[in-house]
Amino acid sequence: MTLASGLLPVVLGVVILYMQAERALKHSAEHTAEEAIQQFELMLDNTAQSARELLPLAGQRCLDVNFALREQVTRRPFVRSTNLVWDDTIYCSSLFGDVNEKTSSGNYDGGRLLLMKGNPVTPDTAFLVYRLGEGKRGAMSTLDGYHLSNVLRMIGSHTLLVLQVGPNWLSADNQFHEGALPDFPVAQTQLDSSRYAFGVKAGFPEGETWRYMSSEYPALFSLLIFFGAVSALIGHLLQMRSTSPTHEMKRAMEAMEFVPYFQAVVHGDTKKVSGTEVLMRWNHPKEGLVRPDLFIPFAEHSGLIVPMTRSLMQQTAVLLGPLSASFREPFHIGINITASHCQDLELISDCREFLAQFAPGSIHLVLELTERELIEPTPLTHQLFEQLRELGVKIAIDDFGTGHSSLGYLRQFNVDYLKIDQSFVAMIGVDALSGHILDTVIELALKLDLAMVAEGVETQEQSDYLTAHNVNFLQGYLYGRPMPGAEFISALSVD
Ligand code: G
Ligand code: G
Ligand code: MN
């Protein structure tokens, strides 16, 4: 995730820069080709002019016109030599005077170009011939390849450039070639002159795009790296946030993944259902059912315990509220509350709203407070418990015997029930000493004149013992495991 969010802007940016560089190189190649064509046309204008001026002289004796031929070579820049043709034969040359050399037949009307490898005087220097013809007359001016390759080299200092004339071509190193033109891997461009029969091909060597990018966009590259780093950081933080327990629980709450399970509480004597304890479960999409011990501490820590309990109470009211008219005696509904929850007067309105969804007097709402974390007696908590009492809400001390509440403490908060911790119930029938401890706990509750609920009743022996010792209510697997709402309701209607 961090890597992806860091790489994405960099990769995207590089792709965009690459495309931008390719466009720039294409543009540059076209521009270079155009400039080269202009230069060659300028040179050919000179050459063509000399041939045009000499054409009318063709047919005259070489001795008489030789001076005119040399004058053109001297006066015209780029012109290397001039020749006159009569009847397909070169008969007069600015260099040698009288010659006799067969040339290809044809009418060079309008001028024609021929790129040649060299001649007997300079066999290794390519040259370009401009041929003009009219009937038997002909005039030729030659342009030295040296000037042409200079242009190719100088205009295309970063660009690969070649000059193409018919089937032949000239490279920047002044070499004559025949046959197919070379392939340029990057930004290949071919342009033909509109005025003379030649063309130019431009392009760049392999890897030029990357070279161009690294030399032209270093600032943009730094910016990309910076964006990548910022984006990676944001991605990292987002991921941290989404995987933090608080964020995960907020998500779960919005997705209504915290659901109530119900465990029956029965009368000690008749074993008839007297009520239920609501136990929170996290119906996690990946982990399955999660027990509250694993997430309640996080919920308290992140301050989510209040809205989570509120949601649990609302769901309970929606499930059990419609049944309440049929309850023959007040049905006990136990809700587990943490000490931190008691620092908030909102608990009162939550309880009021809860009670409003049941037929009047049809239930007893019991708030179960574990003895392991005692509530600080402050003016706020006194106000809270007073108002709860006015609403008719009952208080139970959960896990009784495992904590250290004093007599004064139990009186201060007007406790109604003690829930004897299941560890004491498990002692029944084990040995004399354990039995004695349980007896002492029961005795204490009787002396305080508080109703008792024994938790974790699993065997008939435990049930019989607790009934014989006047424990008012029993709760445990023997009577029912915690179960989903629909299941609990159908079990209730069977009773
Ligand atoms: O059912 P059981 O394994 O679920 O319960 C484990 C512990 O979680 C018990 O101590 C019980 O009191 C506590 N618990 C269950 N539901 C809630 C709840 O809604 N709120 C609080 N604060 N504790 C709960
Ligand atoms: O702490 P509190 O009493 O709120 O939590 C009750 C816990 O005891 C829940 O986790 C519930 O699932 C569990 N419980 C309920 N009945 C029995 C029982 O008969 N045996 C055992 N071992 N656990 C039980
Ligand atoms: Mn409880």
Side-chain angles (χ1 to χ4, degrees), residues 99-125:
V99 287
N100 191 339
E101 198 180 314
K102 207 72 188 140
T103 177
S104 60
S105 69
N107 185 5
Y108 321 129
D109 198 17
R112 205 179 284 173
L113 292 178
L114 185 68
L115 185 65
M116 294 184 70
K117 191 177 167 66
N119 67 3
V121 185
T122 49
D124 297 326
T125 311

Side-chain angles (χ1 to χ4, degrees), residues 277-279 335-336 368 398-399 419 455 475:
E277 178 178 1
V278 182
L279 295 159
I335 303 281
N336 292 286
E368 298 189 10
D398 208 352
D399 313 312
K419 294 193 77 171
E455 289 192 290
Q475 178 182 350

Side-chain angles (χ1 to χ4, degrees), residues 92 105 139 165 182 205 241 273 415 443 476:
C92 189
S105 69
V165 182
R241 218 173 72 98
V273 177
V415 171
E443 226 168 278

Side-chain angles (χ1 to χ4, degrees), residues 263 277-279 281 291-293 336 368 370 372 398-399 419-422 455-459 462 475-482:
Q263 187 178 31
E277 178 178 1
V278 182
L279 295 159
R281 292 290 181 272
R291 294 189 29 161
D293 343 19
N336 292 286
E368 298 189 10
T370 178
R372 276 186 287 253
D398 208 352
D399 313 312
K419 294 193 77 171
I420 301 168
D421 191 70
Q422 54 195 43
E455 289 192 290
V457 181
E458 292 181 349
T459 66
Q462 291 166 347
Q475 178 182 350
Y477 293 167
L478 186 63
Y479 313 108
R481 289 177 172 267

Side-chain angles (χ1 to χ4, degrees), residues 7-53:
L7 278 181
L8 190 71
V10 176
V11 169
L12 261 175
V14 168
V15 167
I16 290 170
L17 285 185
Y18 190 89
M19 280 159 56
Q20 178 70 33
E22 274 192 327
R23 281 224 324 263
L25 285 175
K26 185 82 189 164
H27 193 256
S28 158
E30 279 166 10
H31 185 72
T32 306
E34 270 166 25
E35 251 186 291
I37 281 184
Q38 264 179 22
Q39 281 300 321
F40 291 140
E41 283 176 351
L42 224 74
M43 291 170 159
L44 280 168
D45 283 347
N46 271 294
T47 316
Q49 183 64 27
S50 69
R52 261 196 305 278
E53 278 180 25

Side-chain angles (χ1 to χ4, degrees), residues 47-66:
T47 316
Q49 183 64 27
S50 69
R52 261 196 305 278
E53 278 180 25
L54 291 175
L55 186 64
L57 305 183
Q60 296 187 25
R61 285 196 313 157
C62 189
L63 199 67
D64 298 338
V65 296
N66 201 257

Side-chain angles (χ1 to χ4, degrees), residues 44-319:
L44 280 168
D45 283 347
N46 271 294
T47 316
Q49 183 64 27
S50 69
R52 261 196 305 278
E53 278 180 25
L54 291 175
L55 186 64
L57 305 183
Q60 296 187 25
R61 285 196 313 157
C62 189
L63 199 67
D64 298 338
V65 296
N66 201 257
F67 179 76
L69 260 62
R70 289 185 184 159
E71 191 194 9
Q72 287 299 327
V73 172
T74 317
R75 274 182 33 178
R76 303 265 168 216
F78 309 119
V79 176
R80 174 177 135 159
S81 69
T82 50
N83 306 273
L84 287 180
V85 175
W86 184 260
D87 203 8
D88 289 341
T89 306
I90 301 172
Y91 75 94
C92 189
S93 138
S94 59
L95 205 54
F96 304 113
D98 278 312
V99 287
N100 191 339
E101 198 180 314
K102 207 72 188 140
T103 177
S104 60
S105 69
N107 185 5
Y108 321 129
D109 198 17
R112 205 179 284 173
L113 292 178
L114 185 68
L115 185 65
M116 294 184 70
K117 191 177 167 66
N119 67 3
V121 185
T122 49
D124 297 326
T125 311
F127 61 94
L128 186 61
V129 189
Y130 181 85
R131 304 190 294 184
L132 206 57
E134 196 181 58
K136 291 193 170 186
R137 284 184 186 158
M140 293 179 177
S141 290
T142 67
L143 210 163
D144 201 303
Y146 172 78
H147 297 301
L148 300 169
S149 59
N150 256 355
V151 168
L152 293 175
R153 234 185 359 262
M154 275 154 63
I155 293 185
S157 59
H158 294 293
T159 320
L160 299 173
L161 259 183
V162 296
L163 166 68
Q164 181 223 347
V165 182
N168 307 327
W169 52 279
L170 185 75
S171 49
D173 55 3
N174 202 17
Q175 291 300 305
F176 171 92
H177 304 266
E178 273 172 298
L181 290 174
D183 252 335
F184 298 141
V186 176
Q188 179 161 283
T189 304
Q190 201 160 357
L191 263 182
D192 288 329
S193 163
S194 56
R195 296 176 46 215
Y196 297 99
F198 75 91
V200 154
K201 191 170 179 180
F204 293 94
E206 192 73 60
E208 177 64 21
T209 315
W210 291 111
R211 258 195 303 283
Y212 181 85
M213 284 166 75
S214 57
S215 70
E216 296 296 313
Y217 307 142
L220 288 176
F221 268 120
S222 320
L223 204 65
L224 273 186
I225 301 293
F226 175 72
F227 278 145
V230 168
S231 168
L233 189 72
I234 292 174
H236 183 68
L237 290 179
L238 276 180
Q239 198 195 4
M240 293 269 288
R241 218 173 72 98
S242 71
T243 50
S244 80
T246 309
H247 187 269
E248 174 63 1
M249 290 219 289
K250 274 208 181 106
R251 182 200 63 74
M253 212 169 73
E254 275 155 25
M256 293 295 279
E257 284 173 16
F258 297 109
V259 294
Y261 267 52
F262 300 89
Q263 187 178 31
V265 178
V266 302
H267 285 285
D269 41 11
T270 61
K271 308 292 186 298
K272 285 223 160 72
V273 177
S274 66
T276 180
E277 178 178 1
V278 182
L279 295 159
M280 197 185 296
R281 292 290 181 272
W282 184 350
N283 206 347
H284 197 279
K286 281 190 207 131
E287 309 287 332
L289 267 197
V290 182
R291 294 189 29 161
D293 343 19
L294 298 174
F295 62 84
I296 294 283
F298 285 112
E300 278 190 80
H301 182 74
S302 58
L304 284 174
I305 189 67
V306 173
M308 275 163 73
T309 309
R310 182 178 302 140
S311 160
L312 201 71
M313 287 168 80
Q314 279 164 0
Q315 292 181 64
T316 303
V318 166
L319 282 163

